[in-house]
Amino acid sequence: MAQPAPDPDAWRTQVRQWLATVLEPARAPQSAGETADLAVFHNLPPDEERLLLERCRAYQRARFDAGYQALTLPADKGGAGLTAAHVAVFAEEESAFEVPPSTELISVTVRLVAMAVSLFGTPEQRHDHARAFLRTDLLACQLFSEPGAGSDLAALRTRARQDGDEWVIDGQKVWTSGAQFADYGLLLARTDPDVVKQAGITAFLVPMDAPGVEVRPIRQMSGGASFNEVFLSGVRVPDRLRIGRPGQGWEVATTTLAFERTASGSGNRRKGGTFPDVLALARSLGRTSDPLVRQRLADLYVRAALRAATVDRVARTSASGGRPGPEASLTKLMASELLTRTGQVAAELMGARISADTGEPDTFAWTQHVLGAPGYRLAGGTDQIQRNLIGERVLKLPPEPRADRAPFSQLPGN
């Protein structure tokens, strides 16, 4: 019989004591002249990115070993089997310490791929891979998006054909975070073109060092190369690395994307500038007495508070169920909107200062936020897709007319 979950308040003391053994207390706000990291996406050279990954992995391993990883995942799937209330308690206590800044690859590994393998994998896959992903002994990227299948993910054209006990995969993926450092990729491929597009997709774990896998970095306009194109040419993957049944890939994908939207909307990794950063900027520029500026700051503060409250509500009502539902789209949409508005207010405050580095602290650094925020409107599904999901699955509005109900091979362009 499963043990009852510990009382969250009593558990809080245990969490705080453990965190104090592995982390330093949070530092005071940055001092004058210290430049803040306002980048939405990392813009680090490869060597620095590797060092950051190792810092993150050390903390994730300690957290796993102490039993604080995958808190709401059922115990029989490798998690702690706790509730959303415990997740909220852990996040509150963790915020008082200097947690190593995470990366997209760490988030994808722990909060997406590990969860997908835990929920859909065989016992052997959970033992060999899910545990290693949760502990970050292995790192995994997400091979979903394609040049012609971004928002309409079900239209993907990467193919996998079975050849004995192996699958042969050909295709191209794009916007893959951390592919150059990953050990595996969770890939979606079309295995049956003669059924409707959602029904003919299968998920696989692809070793990123397999023959036929080529990773090409994509240079971002903000200067970094966090994303990649991945080309797959005759890549052979054993059937034991198939996740779920043949044709179950769409269910794996939608579940994983729900985890991604939850992670994007509520993760503890700092992404770009925040309201306190904008407020500090307004004060440093002597603009806080301007009534229009005060109105913009108040609007930004209210939106930040509403997002935090929504994250908490969604977490408490859905995360304990194991699989996040369409409500995750709410937190993702609010997060991307808040990032965009934060950059807009900062840019309005600075005017021309944002276009050139004058040496003033925390001014030109905002370019990293402004250039990165648009990309966040695409991650985990575009804002338009989130609104459709909210309308159809949360508000129960009539769905949009669909003209792609025929088998995939009969659709135009195939």
Side-chain angles (χ1 to χ4, degrees), residues 32 53 56 59-60 112 145 270 323 333 365:
L53 281 171
C56 295
Y59 174 62
Q60 295 296 331
L112 278 65
S145 295
R270 176 189 174 106
R323 301 186 190 186
L333 183 61

Side-chain angles (χ1 to χ4, degrees), residues 120-320:
F120 294 96
T122 64
E124 291 76 17
Q125 289 170 340
R126 289 198 294 271
H127 178 271
D128 295 341
H129 294 96
R131 182 183 186 280
F133 292 146
L134 286 171
R135 197 174 182 271
T136 66
D137 293 329
L138 295 173
L139 297 176
C141 59
Q142 181 179 296
L143 299 172
F144 283 15
S145 295
E146 299 185 5
S151 296
D152 186 11
L153 181 60
L156 61 87
R157 286 178 167 77
T158 293
R159 303 293 180 100
R161 60 178 178 82
Q162 193 162 14
D163 183 15
D165 292 333
E166 294 182 318
W167 294 81
V168 183
I169 301 174
D170 292 277
Q172 178 187 356
K173 300 294 180 175
V174 73
W175 306 120
T176 305
S177 301
Q180 68 272 50
F181 303 111
D183 300 292
Y184 285 87
L186 179 62
L187 175 136
L188 299 178
R190 188 162 303 283
T191 52
D192 187 353
D194 297 322
V195 294
V196 294
K197 59 184 182 180
Q198 290 88 351
I201 297 171
T202 303
F204 301 89
L205 277 179
V206 177
M208 295 302 289
D209 61 353
V213 176
E214 180 185 359
V215 178
R216 299 181 189 174
I218 298 174
R219 182 66 59 185
Q220 299 151 217
M221 62 180 176
S222 56
S226 301
F227 306 103
N228 304 271
E229 294 177 286
V230 179
F231 297 85
L232 304 109
S233 303
V235 178
R236 289 186 169 270
V237 175
D239 187 60
R240 59 181 173 80
L241 292 181
R242 171 174 44 84
I243 305 300
R245 303 183 307 275
Q248 197 182 10
W250 186 246
E251 183 182 355
V252 175
T254 54
T255 300
T256 304
L257 287 172
F259 280 117
E260 180 175 13
R261 288 160 192 151
T262 302
S264 296
S266 61
N268 62 4
R269 181 175 83 81
R270 176 189 174 106
K271 297 179 179 71
T274 61
F275 171 76
D277 296 316
V278 178
L279 179 60
L281 176 65
R283 286 172 172 164
S284 70
L285 298 175
R287 300 289 305 279
T288 52
S289 60
D290 184 326
L292 293 180
V293 169
R294 294 174 68 88
Q295 184 178 28
R296 294 286 276 167
L297 290 172
D299 176 76
L300 193 61
Y301 173 81
V302 169
R303 291 177 182 275
L306 286 174
R307 173 188 167 271
T310 303
V311 166
D312 181 69
R313 179 171 59 84
V314 171
R316 291 179 182 276
T317 57
S318 66
S320 60

